[in-house]
Amino acid sequence: MGDSSDIPASRPLDHPLPAGMRDLLPEQAAARRQLSRKLLECFALYGYAVVTPPVFEFAEVLERGLGTLAPADVLRFIEPESGEVAALRPDMTPQIARIIATRLRGRPPPFRLCYEGTVVRRRSGRARKHRQIPQVGVELAGVSAPHGDLELLALTADALRAAGLGQFTIDLGNAGVARALLSPLSPETQSRVSEALAHKDASEVAAACSAVGAPNAEALAALPGLHGGRDALVEGVGRLATSPAAAQAKSLLALFDAAASGGLGGHLTADLGEVRGFAYYTGAIFHVYAAGTGDAVGSGGRYDALLGRFGWALPAAGFGLDLDRLAEALLSIGSEEAGSVRVVVVGGAAHPSLADLRARGLVAVAIQDRNAALVWARAWGFSHVLDASEWVDAKTGASIASPMGERGDR
């Protein structure tokens, strides 16, 4: 370990972090932990068990299941012990696939696994300043469509409600629609048409198809307008009835209706022209949106081909929730947790009230001087000061009743 002379003199130390990295201060870290806990507790009610993958793996393993991520998104380095190329995880799903196919191979499917952790990506979305993305999510392997898809949609909605978000939209799509219509085209034309579909640019879709005499041109040109509620899906099923995407369009309508029958009708929209991840996902895909944030709160879908890349072909689907985006959405509606009781006891470390409060499950620390206790409590977000038998509100300094519903000495 070097001394202070090892630090370049020109580097400012007030915020010495690489671009896109950040610290979470105590209040921020506590809020994130509380949000994660609510989501994981909801996942547990559905039978999902927590796994914790490593923060980096050999690049070759991760790249088997990168899905929609480009290789340029991945941060690689040489692992000193082996000399092999390793990578910081840009996505949890390939890691869960590896765990299922290797470490859990002796257990019977289905597999219901969930996770919490940070992924790291080199590039940023339009609304994202950070390269480290905190996520919680689930993976369901061994349950085919539509049953697995419906379970994940119900779990998504319940998890968001458990977090305190009542208003949200789940936008459904089917990756097979775009794949079926684009498959006859060259990679270059596929890329051009996909870009136009992503921007709902019907004229550019038509121009790109016309330039190469593309089959399915009429169906592709219709996709940008086939999004909205159930009526848009019904129209899409009719317009794609004679196209290679007919079965996928019908499947999406059936999933929409089944999810609506399960109580999600007020949260659903659909988009037959969704192209994000169509080269990776094999069936249903969805994105979750909420007011107050500039990007999707979460996303997921079906990727039945993924487990086969790790040696065990199983149907699979999953979703991830972005904790930053979810926190923004909650903040926009004024959803704040009621402050927990955290007490500064005026006295020494042997004060008998400390043990009593901790036995009740309350955070308690000791500071000798009353004035210093009030200052410290306010700075560190403690709610109360206890001086002898007097309870004091840390914010106002006023005497109050005991936060346990009692007065005076406990």
Side-chain angles (χ1 to χ4, degrees), residues 64-92:
R64 290 189 193 188
L66 277 183
T68 59
L69 290 173
D73 290 338
V74 183
L75 284 164
R76 295 175 177 80
F77 61 95
I78 301 299
E79 201 275 313
E81 295 291 331
S82 65
E84 295 192 45
V85 178
L88 294 174
R89 61 187 181 203
D91 188 6
M92 295 280 200

Side-chain angles (χ1 to χ4, degrees), residues 4-19:
S4 60
S5 63
D6 295 328
I7 302 174
S10 60
R11 176 178 294 177
L13 295 181
D14 57 336
H15 193 61
L17 293 174

Side-chain angles (χ1 to χ4, degrees), residues 11-101:
R11 176 178 294 177
L13 295 181
D14 57 336
H15 193 61
L17 293 174
M21 299 293 104
R22 58 185 159 152
D23 300 312
L24 291 183
L25 298 183
E27 297 81 7
Q28 298 167 310
R32 178 180 292 176
R33 174 58 61 187
Q34 190 168 42
L35 180 56
S36 296
R37 185 179 299 115
K38 288 181 178 181
L39 296 168
L40 291 173
E41 287 174 352
C42 182
F43 297 164
L45 295 176
Y46 277 68
Y48 286 78
V50 177
V51 292
T52 304
V55 295
F56 68 87
E57 297 201 29
F58 293 126
E60 184 274 331
V61 175
L62 288 174
E63 288 167 358
R64 290 189 193 188
L66 277 183
T68 59
L69 290 173
D73 290 338
V74 183
L75 284 164
R76 295 175 177 80
F77 61 95
I78 301 299
E79 201 275 313
E81 295 291 331
S82 65
E84 295 192 45
V85 178
L88 294 174
R89 61 187 181 203
D91 188 6
M92 295 280 200
T93 300
Q95 295 187 293
I96 307 300
R98 175 189 55 75
I99 289 172
I100 291 172

Side-chain angles (χ1 to χ4, degrees), residues 148-385:
D149 303 332
L150 289 169
E151 178 177 320
L152 292 184
L153 291 172
L155 178 53
T156 299
D158 280 351
L160 292 173
R161 295 186 190 112
L165 190 65
Q167 299 298 318
F168 54 87
T169 297
I170 301 175
D171 191 45
L172 293 175
N174 188 302
V177 172
R179 184 183 300 107
L181 298 178
L182 290 170
S183 61
L185 305 178
S186 69
E188 294 77 12
T189 304
Q190 285 191 26
S191 179
R192 180 182 174 186
V193 175
S194 296
E195 181 77 12
L197 288 172
H199 290 92
K200 306 298 182 194
D201 189 341
S203 61
E204 174 60 14
V205 172
C209 290
S210 177
V212 297
N216 310 318
E218 183 177 349
L220 284 166
L223 291 184
L226 298 177
H227 61 90
R230 187 178 188 277
D231 289 346
L233 271 183
V234 172
E235 178 188 352
V237 168
R239 297 187 70 172
L240 299 177
T242 59
S243 78
Q248 291 83 356
K250 289 180 181 178
S251 175
L252 180 56
L253 177 57
L255 179 62
F256 187 102
D257 286 343
S261 296
L264 296 181
H267 296 286
L268 296 177
T269 60
D271 187 354
L272 279 163
E274 178 61 78
V275 292
R276 283 173 291 184
F278 83 91
Y280 171 69
Y281 290 109
T282 59
I285 51 179
F286 63 92
H287 293 79
V288 183
Y289 298 98
T293 183
D295 207 344
V297 169
S299 62
R302 176 157 295 278
Y303 28 81
D304 287 342
L306 177 61
L307 268 293
R309 301 177 194 173
F310 292 87
W312 193 3
L314 287 173
F319 68 82
L321 298 175
D322 185 321
L323 294 175
D324 283 341
R325 303 286 83 79
L326 180 53
E328 289 174 356
L330 291 169
L331 183 62
S332 76
I333 60 173
S335 177
E336 296 182 0
E337 290 296 323
S340 58
V341 175
R342 305 171 74 216
V343 185
V344 179
V345 175
V346 178
H351 196 294
S353 292
L354 293 171
D356 180 35
L357 291 166
R358 291 166 184 162
R360 297 172 183 237
L362 302 178
V363 177
V365 301
I367 292 182
Q368 290 281 0
D369 178 75
R370 177 182 174 120
N371 289 333
L374 281 167
V375 171
W376 192 91
R378 290 165 186 157
W380 287 94
F382 276 62
S383 59
H384 297 80
V385 170

